[in-house]
Amino acid sequence: MTDPSHEGLKEIEIKGIPGSPGVAVGPVLLVKTEEERLVERTISEEDIPREIARFEEALINTRHQVHEIQQKVSNAIGQESASIFDAHLLVVDDRSFVEEVIRGLGTQRRNVEAVLTAVADRYADALSAIEDDYLRERAADVRDVTRRILRNLSGRSSTLLTQLDKPYIVVSNDLAPSDTATLNKEKVMGFGTDLGSPTSHTAIMARALAIPAVVGLHDVSVRVSTGDMVLIDGNKGLFVIHPTHERLAHYGKVQEIRQGVETRLKGLKDQPAITKDGYQVTLSANIELPGDMDAVIQNGAVGVGLFRTEYLYLSSKQQLPTEEDQYNAYTEVARRLGDAPAIIRTLDLGGDKFLSHLKTPAELNPFMGWRAIRFCLAQPDIFKTQLRAVLRASTYENIKLMYPMVSNVEEVVHANEFLEEAKNELRQRGQPFNDNMEVGVMIEVPSAAITANLIAPHVDFFSLGTNDLVQYTMAVDRVNERVAYLYEPTHPAIIRLIKNTIDVGHEHGIWVGICGEMAANPLMAPLLMGLGLDEFSMSPSAIPLVKEAVRSVMFHEAEELARHVLVSESAPKVLELCRKLLERVAPEILELIS
Ligand code: PEP
Ligand code: MG
């Protein structure tokens, strides 16, 4: 590690929440997430056409949105009121305004946000200086519509994060999962955010990309500036501004030890996840995009236990991915796995993942709202396009389908009816599919966990989505750092729901897995195994350590742990029991994770 400490500047340590493991040291790039995140940059001559294209696209989107607003206002309060937005359209269509911005790109060599803001300010100032009420009002219109254009530009400003000139540690109030999905791994060494929790999709995405991250840092985005040197420790959840020489030297040593252990763990790649006395479980991987398959294979996963397909939708910003796009993505994953299973989860939009161009109404409680299967059942066209794509890909017989956020049996029945319709449509087209494709559900809503016996007869497997199961059971918003302390996967309520789901699944002859982040914690592996879990699915990078934990215990020790846990009265006590077992059988794992 080179020594980037800044002599003379006082070190500041901020404690946050571990978002994604790993340590990174480097300069900050501060990214604003407010509507008008005005990031000023100089541009080169070659950048000008791209900036013009971004501007034109933002103008088209703005025009489209203003028309929509007009329509709504006209329907609600009449045509006359709607006509006030004509002035906004006049600005967007004003060629001299537009051309002045385009000319400014060439003369000022600054990005379009900066040039547009300057031109709009000049227009607005000139209009407000005129002694005429009508024209003065037009100044407000210019400012208003400029804000909208900037917002549309900033919707694409995630591309900014893909085009950085050198490696940075990105700091922001928050990053949307779609921002994280488009991060350029080569240039983003890590990130820190004011908001977020370990199970926010932004953190999950960071783990998938193996980018160190610390979230829940409260006000870090106002405490640093672009260029400040920082160290982030994604294992401990530490963010250090102006780290000292001593701090950097210490981290250098820790990194060396960690790398040694990681090299040893890589040797486990082709070994099974089997206890010392021969009890075997399946360790599979969670993926967000087909590009994650390299990591799946490198880390020795036995299949994909969760393909979060919404990232196909989030990364195709302007429109929904077509049946063909999806078919290609699913077959690529299936093909790379050979015979190993690939579980495709149907679209889970809503919660903290939104597609702006779907224009779904804003909700007060999006995690409890129109999310996942609820959204899909109400949008048959979108849902059936995906079902047909998965079915067509199911000619690779390792493909299985899974529905998210099921809260009652009717939803499963209804979704299966759509699946039958999709099959009939393919029959009519003469396209092949696997009529016996396995269909499972995520158990992530308490009502589903409690009534697992009613759901089991309709499905082929269960996968516990503990990220949401904890959120909904504990009434703790999974992305709210203020209540993160209450987010306890080891709470007796969660353990009981997991136990019930596993027992009911087995009574009905179906296998039960887990694909929430709890599966990635080596501390939890013996407990989950002892509770009878069949499959663990996690970020690919977590597999080696969990495998090491499984291979370090005897199955009867895991069962004994589960028995004690089931009569424990608190989350810390459960955690302590898990810790004690690992301390005895694999102390070096404990060292690495604490
Ligand atoms: C879960 O809820 O545990 C899960 C795996 O799904 P997601 O994190 O995508 O909501
Ligand atoms: Mg979930």
Side-chain angles (χ1 to χ4, degrees):
M1 211 184 275
T2 52
D3 183 355
S5 74
H6 279 190
E7 224 28 271
L9 291 173
K10 196 169 165 341
E11 179 183 278
I12 304 167
E13 179 185 300
I14 311 177
K15 183 89 187 88
I17 299 169
S20 171
V23 173
V25 181
V28 164
L29 175 75
L30 192 60
V31 176
K32 299 244 189 273
T33 51
E34 299 88 79
E35 284 183 346
E36 306 84 34
R37 49 170 119 167
L38 180 57
V39 182
E40 216 177 303
R41 292 175 284 132
T42 49
I43 58 168
S44 65
E45 190 160 356
E46 300 89 77
D47 293 332
I48 294 175
R50 198 191 63 224
E51 290 298 285
I52 295 178
R54 291 178 61 225
F55 184 43
E56 299 276 346
E57 200 179 338
L59 289 176
I60 293 169
N61 288 336
T62 304
R63 196 176 294 121
H64 186 70
Q65 289 158 4
V66 175
H67 275 302
E68 270 187 1
I69 297 171
Q70 263 188 325
Q71 195 58 49
K72 273 194 201 134
V73 174
S74 170
N75 292 345
I77 47 176
Q79 175 109 40
E80 201 176 322
S81 305
S83 66
I84 56 172
F85 290 99
D86 286 345
H88 289 212
L89 291 172
L90 285 179
V91 177
V92 181
D93 290 332
D94 180 342
R95 273 332 280 179
S96 61
F97 175 79
V98 169
E99 274 158 22
E100 194 168 335
V101 174
I102 293 175
R103 261 199 314 280
L105 292 172
T107 51
Q108 298 176 30
R109 291 290 160 85
R110 291 188 302 156
N111 57 331
V112 65
E113 286 90 339
V115 177
L116 168 67
T117 307
V119 172
D121 279 350
R122 226 182 18 259
Y123 266 64
D125 289 349
L127 286 168
S128 22
I130 299 172
E131 293 279 321
D132 178 301
D133 286 348
Y134 174 80
L135 289 176
R136 262 205 297 273
E137 273 175 36
R138 299 291 72 77
D141 289 329
V142 171
R143 292 208 169 91
D144 201 351
V145 78
T146 301
R147 266 202 299 274
R148 182 168 290 281
I149 302 170
L150 284 170
R151 197 181 313 155
N152 282 320
L153 281 165
S154 83
R156 253 158 302 294
S157 75
S158 52
T159 56
L160 180 84
L161 291 174
T162 64
Q163 293 159 359
L164 302 177
D165 55 341
K166 61 176 183 182
Y168 283 105
I169 292 181
V170 171
V171 175
S172 178
N173 176 253
D174 194 12
L175 283 175
S178 56
D179 288 334
T180 326
T182 52
L183 287 181
N184 176 347
K185 290 188 251 182
E186 310 288 300
K187 297 289 168 59
V188 178
M189 294 187 285
F191 66 80
T193 54
D194 296 342
L195 305 180
S197 75
T199 52
S200 61
H201 284 101
T202 298
I204 290 173
M205 200 66 209
R207 287 195 286 276
L209 295 172
I211 296 178
V214 182
V215 297
L217 284 158
H218 300 285
D219 58 353
V220 69
S221 70
V222 294
R223 296 175 73 175
V224 293
S225 312
T226 291
D228 280 352
M229 198 51 70
V230 297
L231 177 149
I232 62 168
D233 178 344
N235 306 300
K236 296 202 170 124
L238 283 186
F239 189 101
V240 184
I241 311 173
H242 311 312
T244 58
H245 289 300
E246 293 72 35
R247 169 94 66 176
L248 291 168
H250 167 73
Y251 269 95
K253 276 201 207 99
V254 173
Q255 279 294 79
E256 251 173 55
I257 299 172
R258 193 175 291 281
Q259 271 157 14
V261 176
E262 273 165 13
T263 313
R264 188 168 61 74
L265 289 181
K266 283 211 179 94
L268 287 181
K269 175 174 169 289
D270 299 316
Q271 302 295 320
I274 190 163
T275 60
K276 282 177 155 173
D277 49 350
Y279 181 87
Q280 193 164 343
V281 290
T282 302
L283 300 189
S284 24
N286 293 352
I287 63 166
E288 277 73 43
L289 289 166
D292 299 334
M293 286 307 294
D294 286 342
V296 172
I297 288 156
Q298 277 155 21
N299 286 288
V302 185
V304 163
L306 167 65
F307 181 173
R308 289 187 167 94
T309 58
E310 49 281 3
Y311 285 91
L312 289 177
Y313 294 68
L314 293 170
S315 54
S316 119
K317 292 219 163 186
Q318 293 308 301
Q319 62 203 12
L320 296 172
T322 62
E323 183 182 314
E324 211 56 29
D325 295 336
Q326 296 188 54
Y327 167 74
N328 290 335
Y330 305 150
T331 47
E332 183 183 338
V333 171
R335 186 178 50 75
R336 294 208 50 196
L337 286 169
D339 291 336
I343 302 180
I344 318 279
R345 175 175 79 180
T346 58
L347 183 59
D348 182 358
L349 279 182
D352 62 350
K353 290 173 289 197
F354 303 100
L355 262 187
S356 54
H357 59 87
L358 275 184
K359 306 208 165 40
T360 44
E363 297 182 321
L364 271 181
N365 283 310
F367 272 117
M368 303 226 252
W370 206 38
R371 183 187 165 191
I373 197 71
R374 303 170 181 185
F375 171 84
C376 284
L377 292 176
Q379 299 279 332
D381 287 346
I382 296 176
F383 192 35
K384 282 203 288 173
T385 302
Q386 179 169 44
L387 294 176
R388 284 193 305 271
V390 178
L391 279 167
R392 284 174 54 198
S394 72
T395 51
Y396 283 83
E397 291 191 1
N398 54 342
I399 288 212
K400 304 176 199 293
L401 183 74
M402 179 159 77
Y403 304 131
M405 215 194 160
V406 161
S407 54
N408 63 31
V409 74
E410 289 82 359
E411 284 171 336
V412 185
V413 172
H414 196 177
N416 279 339
E417 282 165 5
F418 279 125
L419 186 64
E420 281 311 309
E421 281 180 29
K423 286 183 179 178
N424 282 333
E425 285 159 14
L426 292 182
R427 283 189 190 104
Q428 268 159 23
R429 288 192 205 161
Q431 284 177 315
F433 59 88
N434 173 12
D435 202 11
N436 298 315
M437 176 178 67
E438 280 188 30
V439 178
V441 286
M442 293 196 62
I443 300 292
E444 52 183 347
V445 178
S447 60
I450 293 165
T451 60
N453 61 324
L454 304 178
I455 296 173
H458 299 271
V459 295
D460 299 304
F461 63 90
F462 286 153
S463 185
L464 284 150
T466 45
N467 301 340
D468 279 312
L469 189 61
V470 176
Q471 143 163 284
Y472 296 129
T473 308
M474 307 294 299
V476 175
D477 180 346
R478 66 192 259 189
V479 298
N480 184 337
E481 76 286 355
R482 285 203 179 81
V483 288
Y485 71 98
L486 280 172
Y487 190 95
E488 292 177 308
T490 51
H491 189 286
I494 307 297
I495 304 294
R496 289 180 201 182
L497 291 176
I498 292 177
K499 176 75 178 144
N500 183 58
T501 306
I502 295 173
D503 288 351
V504 165
H506 290 172
E507 278 157 26
H508 286 79
I510 64 177
W511 62 267
V512 182
I514 178 173
C515 56
E517 290 303 306
M518 196 176 175
N521 185 347
L523 264 184
M524 297 291 112
L527 169 61
L528 292 168
M529 207 165 45
L531 289 170
L533 200 76
D534 304 297
E535 183 240 21
F536 296 61
S537 191
M538 64 201 82
S539 309
S541 59
I543 289 176
L545 218 49
V546 171
K547 193 186 279 183
E548 172 92 337
V550 170
R551 290 172 63 89
S552 307
V553 283
M554 304 278 270
F555 184 57
H556 71 83
E557 292 172 320
E559 283 186 309
E560 195 181 318
L561 170 66
R563 270 196 301 278
H564 284 136
V565 161
L566 283 168
V567 291
S568 290
E569 71 260 30
S570 75
K573 285 199 174 142
V574 171
L575 206 55
E576 192 45 36
L577 287 170
C578 296
R579 187 177 289 275
K580 274 204 179 122
L581 176 58
L582 214 58
E583 205 162 44
R584 193 157 54 73
V585 298
E588 72 291 348
I589 297 185
L590 214 49
E591 195 115 308
L592 272 184
I593 58 175
S594 50

